Structure formats: structure tokens, C-alpha cells
Amino acid sequence: MPENLNFLCRVDEVEEGKPYSFPLGRIKVVLVRKRDSYYALNDSCPHRLAPLSAGGVAGTALPSDVGVICYGRDGEILRCPWHGWEFDLLNGRSLHDPQRERVRAYPVKVEDGSIYVDLSGRVG
Ligand code: FES
């Protein structure tokens, strides 16, 4: 295994849609599973530093016509537990201001049933 990968846990230890926090030195990572995909973000909200791992995983309202509410992307949005900012698990960008407000998203690798995160990498 390359040196830049940090072991998090085994795949059978991760329930879908539930955030898990892993301290890795001075960094904490939040891991979320959606089906067979795994996403890792820095476990600290850029607003007031709440632990995102204490938040919920959900979907969000999609762009739609006036008067129409269209829900989608279930399991791909992580909501901060303190003030409700929402982050895209695929790239760490906030939904309300994706160019300015974001958390770092790390590459995740699964090998032989083990989940690893690359803290030197960046997604998005
Ligand atoms: S600390 Fe996350 S939205 Fe305020």
C-alpha cells in the first residue's frame, strides 16, 4: 500500500448513509458510504467548525420550475449539524456558495475490503 494512503476501516464496518469520523493525526475525516462508493471530507465545517460527522446525510431540492419541488441526489449531501449548511459529498462544495464555501474532499481507495483515504490528494 502506498505511504500516502491512511487506513480507515473495513467496508463491512460502514453503514450506508451514516457519517463516520476518523482522527488521522491533526486531521479528522468524515467518511460516508453510498451504495458501493465512499466519500471522505474534512470533518470540520468552514462556517463555525462544527464536526460534520455529527450531521445528517440526505439529498436536496433540485432545480425545477416555479411551484414544483423536485428532490434528488439522495445520500450525496452532508448537512452540518449546527446551522444546516449543506455540502456535496462528491467534491466538498457547499450547495449555497460552491465557489467560495467548501470543505476539502479526499480521494478514497478500497482494496481487499479495506478503505483508505489519501490525505495528500484532493477531489473537486
Ligand atoms: S458550523 Fe456548520 S453551518 Fe455553522
Side-chain angles (χ1 to χ4, degrees):
M1 192 58 49
E3 283 182 24
N4 60 336
L5 294 181
N6 292 271
F7 173 75
L8 296 180
C9 62
R10 303 278 302 166
V11 293
D12 56 8
E13 297 175 309
V14 181
E15 289 179 36
E16 185 170 1
K18 179 179 174 184
Y20 294 83
S21 183
F22 294 91
L24 298 169
R26 296 187 321 186
I27 296 174
K28 268 196 193 172
V29 168
V30 54
L31 177 75
V32 175
R33 173 182 160 212
K34 180 179 180 183
R35 297 192 186 99
D36 292 330
S37 297
Y38 298 86
Y39 304 100
L41 303 180
N42 190 307
D43 191 9
S44 181
C45 180
H47 180 221
R48 294 286 185 262
L49 307 179
L52 292 172
S53 55
V57 177
T60 191
L62 301 176
S64 59
D65 292 336
V66 175
V68 176
I69 297 174
C70 187
Y71 181 83
R73 302 199 60 204
D74 197 32
E76 295 180 5
I77 307 299
L78 182 58
R79 184 170 293 126
C80 179
W82 287 3
H83 311 104
W85 285 17
E86 296 175 312
F87 298 92
D88 188 331
L89 282 165
L90 280 63
N91 56 30
R93 295 181 185 273
S94 71
L95 298 192
H96 71 280
D97 191 354
Q99 298 308 316
R100 291 185 21 186
E101 304 290 353
R102 61 188 299 189
V103 290
R104 186 165 179 170
Y106 300 102
V108 174
K109 182 175 177 60
V110 178
E111 190 168 305
D112 297 329
S114 294
I115 303 170
Y116 300 86
V117 65
D118 178 2
L119 295 181
S120 66
R122 181 184 290 270
V123 175

